[in-house]
Amino acid sequence: MFDKLFEPIQIRGMELRNRVVMSAMGTHESAESEDGKSVTDKLIAYHVARVKGGNGLNTIEVTSVDAPSAPFGFLSIAEDKYIAGFKKLNDAVHEAGGKTCIQLWQGGLAVASDQTAQILVPNDLPLSPQYTVPAITNERLLDIIDKFGQAAKRAVEAGFDCLEFHCAHNYLPHSMLSGGINHRSDEWGGSFENRKKFPLECIKSIRANMPIDMPLFMRVDCHDDMLDGGLTIEEVIEFCKDAKECGVDVLNISRGNILTAATLYEVAPVDIENGFNVEDAARIRKETGMLTMPCGRINTPEFAEKILEDDKADLVVMARAQLADANFCNKARAGKVNQIRYCIGCNQGCYDSFCASLYNPAIKHITCMRNPGLLEEDTLGLKPGSASKKVVILGGGIAGMEAALDLKETGNTPILFEKSESLGGQFLLAGAISAKKDFKNAVDKMILDVQESGIEVHLNTVVTKEMLEEIKPDALIVAIGSSPFVLPIEGSEKAIVAHDVLSEKVEVLGENVVIIGGGLVGFETAEFLAARQKKVTVLEMKEKALQDLGPLRQITAQFAMAQMPITIETSATVEKIDDHAVVASGKEYPYDSVIMAVGSKANDTSMYTDLGIPTYIVGDCKKAGIALDAFKDAYHAVLEINK
């Protein structure tokens, strides 16, 4: 199955067993090493798990080539002392049957998360009225070129099968290449010929320190978004042709820069279409004649296979897909696609957690909503317990279903009770808008998994103490979720709750709709109604709306709202709901329908806390929050039960 995807490919002296590439993804796991920049055993286990899962090429995350600009929490190969750690990683991956690539990186402005790291930028960059980062000097540019070569030499000694030069995402090589960023007037700036010089010299330096039969990859933006004077695809094609002459073999086609909202394309959330780089990659491939692989929300084997069948690429980047499921490739190759846990582009565990980890020491590394054991493969991997246990689960939302599936996988007997007529809970509402179809697909698939696994399910059932006494479970998992919160204000009975709108249990009358609450649910309700030709006003009491979304989803939400008949009023504290208007901060907002979207409150679980049964409270009934936490709660409850 998926013959193209799992066809071997020869690149110089390296043969890959298939066309699937796990591209570099920052994990922040190196922060747990002695100096905060080294390989750890957890990082090795993480890569080995994906090799054993069938992946073709593992790319090690962005790795600093220059010591003064190497930030904490990112890997470094800027000194000889790092060779041994990478050799240990490579030996483990090779023993498991895989191949490795290291992404050689100079982070430019992105290293600013570490105040001790030197920021290198093409031009003077004011960061505050008191401080301006000076432009990189000519001497330092030459030094960095040499550092790329030295890093390549160390990577070869460490046993990597190929190398990748990072020339995208606003890092120094991309910044020097782009006319939207590089405004120098010396030999390194101005004309495109001058701007190409630095990255091409870096490539030459790397290639000079590699064996002739070792492949060199390059990550490059297909064009610049939202940057005046930025790279066009025509310029990128010209540059890639020059890079080919300098020794680059494979192009890893990406997009994004951290200077503008285009940063959302680097780790694109669910709101961005699947495979958004594929057509540009196909054009670059055709016009350069180079081996090419697109990245960007390619999360199913069917889609990846079609890209290859349509002759639009030579390899396919499937990165977050393998965070969600380390065995993605093996399952796909065996045709067990229904067993794959698919990435849904929520960004909660990967990008959002990575950003938070830079400033919150309590967050050790990235995780994944669909795979709470990510980067804990050896320490917190799901394993059968010493004995099979009968476990009653109350609640058939995502937390309850996750617990049931994990219990079944580890040899237990889960019995799932849901008081409503169907499984899925509030997560079904998350897929109500078309842009989030991956959310709906995920919960639909979980429901199918529960059904096909043979798990005992009871719908329309409220479990009593007497029923539990009769069943005699070994453990109880309570996942009864949360309920919409209604503001205790005058006229609140005139409002309908957002959950009933998204589930289409109620009809929203009239053209003008006022939504109270500008968080995630309020936004999704606004988008849902705007798509149905309603004029929507969102009232948010805080100074900013959408604060419960991650940074990239905030960007896509703002874009969506700007293109729809949606008005957002912030610092608007709702006082009352009259017969025809919502009164907020002294101003009236007329309505035909008014909707309450001010969050949820955890359902009461006190009745289950003193039954003499080991009991685990998980998901929204523990604390109303994000789906990432619900999956994590359920996963850890199963780990405890299996002890």
Side-chain angles (χ1 to χ4, degrees):
M1 198 167 185
F2 306 114
D3 293 342
K4 286 282 188 182
L5 192 61
F6 293 103
E7 180 181 70
I9 183 171
Q10 186 79 29
I11 308 171
R12 292 202 185 217
M14 178 182 73
E15 181 177 299
L16 300 180
R17 59 185 174 184
N18 58 51
R19 307 298 177 101
V20 183
V21 177
M22 188 177 86
S23 63
M25 293 175 284
T27 65
H28 203 250
E29 168 56 25
S30 61
E32 292 301 290
S33 68
E34 185 174 351
D35 70 345
K37 303 174 186 180
S38 303
V39 172
T40 67
D41 289 341
K42 285 185 180 181
L43 190 67
I44 293 172
Y46 154 82
H47 278 284
V48 168
R50 277 132 194 98
V51 171
K52 290 181 177 178
N55 184 53
L57 178 64
N58 286 44
T59 312
I60 312 306
E61 63 204 71
V62 290
T63 304
S64 297
V65 301
D66 172 61
S69 62
F72 180 88
F74 295 73
L75 290 171
S76 176
I77 196 167
E79 300 172 69
D80 289 348
K81 67 180 181 179
Y82 296 111
I83 294 173
F86 284 116
K87 189 174 190 310
K88 182 179 178 182
L89 186 154
N90 286 324
D91 288 347
V93 168
H94 293 152
E95 184 178 352
K99 302 284 178 151
T100 57
C101 178
I102 185 171
Q103 190 176 74
L104 302 179
W105 176 72
Q106 200 299 312
L109 180 61
V111 309
S113 60
D114 180 352
Q115 294 184 3
T116 69
Q118 186 180 70
I119 300 173
L120 301 178
V121 288
N123 321 283
D124 288 353
L125 180 66
L127 290 185
S128 72
Q130 295 76 33
Y131 180 67
T132 295
V133 178
I136 186 171
T137 64
N138 182 73
E139 292 75 20
R140 193 75 167 99
L141 284 169
L142 294 173
D143 181 45
I144 295 298
I145 291 168
D146 183 59
K147 293 292 180 60
F148 270 105
Q150 292 179 32
K153 184 177 181 180
R154 293 187 190 101
V156 172
E157 185 177 344
F160 282 97
D161 299 287
C162 58
L163 312 181
E164 182 170 80
F165 170 55
H166 204 321
C167 191
H169 302 171
N170 219 160
Y171 304 137
L172 184 60
H174 170 226
S175 295
M176 293 295 293
L177 178 66
S178 173
I181 307 172
N182 182 353
H183 306 298
R184 298 172 73 97
S185 57
D186 62 5
E187 62 181 299
W188 304 99
S191 69
F192 188 48
E193 287 300 317
N194 284 355
R195 287 186 277 116
K196 286 189 294 183
K197 183 177 177 182
F198 176 74
L200 291 176
E201 289 300 318
C202 291
I203 292 167
K204 292 175 186 176
S205 182
I206 293 169
R207 188 79 255 180
N209 286 279
M210 297 170 60
I212 190 66
D213 64 344
M214 178 181 281
L216 177 58
F217 289 55
M218 178 172 71
R219 186 158 223 192
V220 63
D221 283 357
C222 53
H223 56 78
D224 280 337
D225 295 272
M226 307 178 200
L227 273 177
D228 291 339
L231 289 168
T232 65
I233 191 170
E234 289 79 16
E235 287 178 320
V236 171
I237 289 168
E238 180 184 334
F239 169 68
C240 289
K241 289 178 180 177
D242 292 339
K244 180 181 181 181
E245 292 298 316
C246 294
V248 170
D249 302 292
V250 183
L251 300 175
N252 179 352
I253 303 299
S254 185
R255 275 166 74 183
N257 65 81
I258 60 174
L259 290 175
T260 73
T263 188
L264 68 91
Y265 294 117
E266 294 182 35
V267 190
V270 63
D271 317 80
I272 304 299
E273 66 177 322
N274 298 86
F276 58 92
N277 288 320
V278 170
E279 294 305 321
D280 285 330
R283 177 182 171 186
I284 292 169
R285 175 178 182 257
K286 181 178 180 181
E287 295 190 32
T288 63
M290 299 177 71
L291 295 175
T292 304
M293 57 187 198
C295 68
R297 299 207 62 231
I298 303 170
N299 61 351
T300 69
E302 292 88 352
F303 186 28
E305 180 76 1
K306 180 168 174 49
I307 292 168
L308 296 173
E309 280 186 344
D310 291 347
D311 200 29
K312 293 182 176 179
D314 304 281
L315 304 104
V316 180
V317 172
M318 305 189 81
R320 284 182 290 171
Q322 295 186 81
L323 296 184
D325 194 332
N327 292 301
F328 180 97
C329 290
N330 283 345
K331 291 176 181 178
R333 186 165 193 169
K336 298 178 179 179
V337 293
N338 287 336
Q339 294 182 17
I340 296 173
R341 294 196 175 195
Y342 291 100
C343 168
I344 60 175
C346 71
N347 279 17
Q348 291 178 8
C350 51
Y351 184 85
D352 296 353
S353 290
F354 182 85
C355 292
S357 73
L358 297 175
Y359 306 100
N360 183 356
I363 301 174
K364 303 300 183 184
H365 52 65
I366 65 170
T367 184
C368 177
M369 178 196 291
R370 306 305 314 280
N371 178 16
L374 181 67
L375 277 158
E376 302 287 350
E377 282 78 9
D378 283 353
T379 55
L380 294 177
L382 284 178
K383 299 178 181 66
S386 57
S388 177
K389 295 179 180 178
K390 183 194 299 183
V391 183
V392 166
I393 303 165
L394 307 183
I398 55 169
M401 289 193 293
E402 173 74 11
L405 291 165
D406 290 345
L407 285 164
K408 185 73 174 181
E409 182 182 335
T410 52
N412 298 288
T413 304
I415 306 171
L416 182 61
F417 291 90
E418 166 57 41
K419 70 176 183 179
S420 73
E421 63 185 13
S422 62
L423 299 175
Q426 293 184 16
F427 204 70
L428 283 170
L429 306 182
I433 57 176
S434 60
K436 292 178 65 181
K437 63 183 184 299
D438 281 358
F439 279 38
K440 184 178 187 305
N441 292 343
V443 72
D444 286 346
K445 185 180 175 302
M446 285 185 76
I447 293 170
L448 182 63
D449 289 346
V450 168
Q451 294 168 343
E452 292 186 345
S453 67
I455 292 171
E456 184 178 338
V457 177
H458 300 270
L459 301 176
N460 299 304
T461 305
V462 176
V463 175
T464 64
K465 181 178 180 181
E466 291 73 25
M467 291 171 64
L468 290 173
E469 289 174 348
E470 183 178 342
I471 296 170
K472 294 182 174 60
D474 297 299
L476 176 67
I477 293 178
V478 182
I480 58 175
S482 61
S483 299
F485 182 75
V486 177
L487 288 177
I489 57 173
E490 180 184 339
S492 61
E493 72 280 357
K494 298 179 176 66
I496 54 181
V497 296
H499 294 73
D500 288 343
V501 175
L502 293 171
S503 62
E504 300 187 86
K505 290 181 179 178
V506 299
E507 181 182 0
V508 179
L509 302 175
E511 181 182 16
N512 295 309
V513 180
V514 173
I515 297 175
I516 302 172
L520 172 61
V521 175
F523 153 63
E524 291 182 343
T525 307
E527 192 172 1
F528 180 83
L529 293 173
R532 289 157 176 77
Q533 287 72 55
K534 306 288 186 182
K535 293 181 180 178
V536 182
T537 300
V538 178
L539 305 179
E540 170 55 51
M541 67 180 294
K542 298 177 182 177
E543 293 182 359
K544 290 180 62 178
L546 305 169
Q547 290 188 35
D548 54 350
L549 273 72
L552 299 187
R553 291 217 59 224
Q554 283 188 26
I555 295 172
T556 57
Q558 289 162 357
F559 284 169
M561 286 194 173
Q563 296 168 9
M564 293 182 172
I566 298 171
T567 300
I568 301 177
E569 299 283 350
T570 56
S571 300
T573 300
V574 176
E575 299 156 8
K576 62 180 179 178
I577 304 173
D578 287 342
D579 288 341
H580 302 291
V582 177
V583 181
S585 298
K587 186 176 178 181
E588 292 189 351
Y589 297 90
Y591 69 86
D592 296 313
S593 291
V594 58
I595 297 168
M596 197 77 73
V598 291
S600 298
K601 57 182 178 180
N603 288 329
D604 183 17
T605 61
S606 60
M607 65 198 79
Y608 304 110
T609 57
D610 192 25
L611 298 175
I613 307 168
T615 300
Y616 304 87
I617 311 297
V618 306
D620 273 6
C621 64
K622 179 181 178 183
K623 180 183 178 182
I626 59 176
L628 176 75
D629 293 330
F631 278 94
K632 181 180 177 181
D633 287 347
Y635 186 89
H636 282 270
V638 173
L639 291 178
E640 287 295 316
I641 290 169
N642 283 336
K643 281 185 176 179

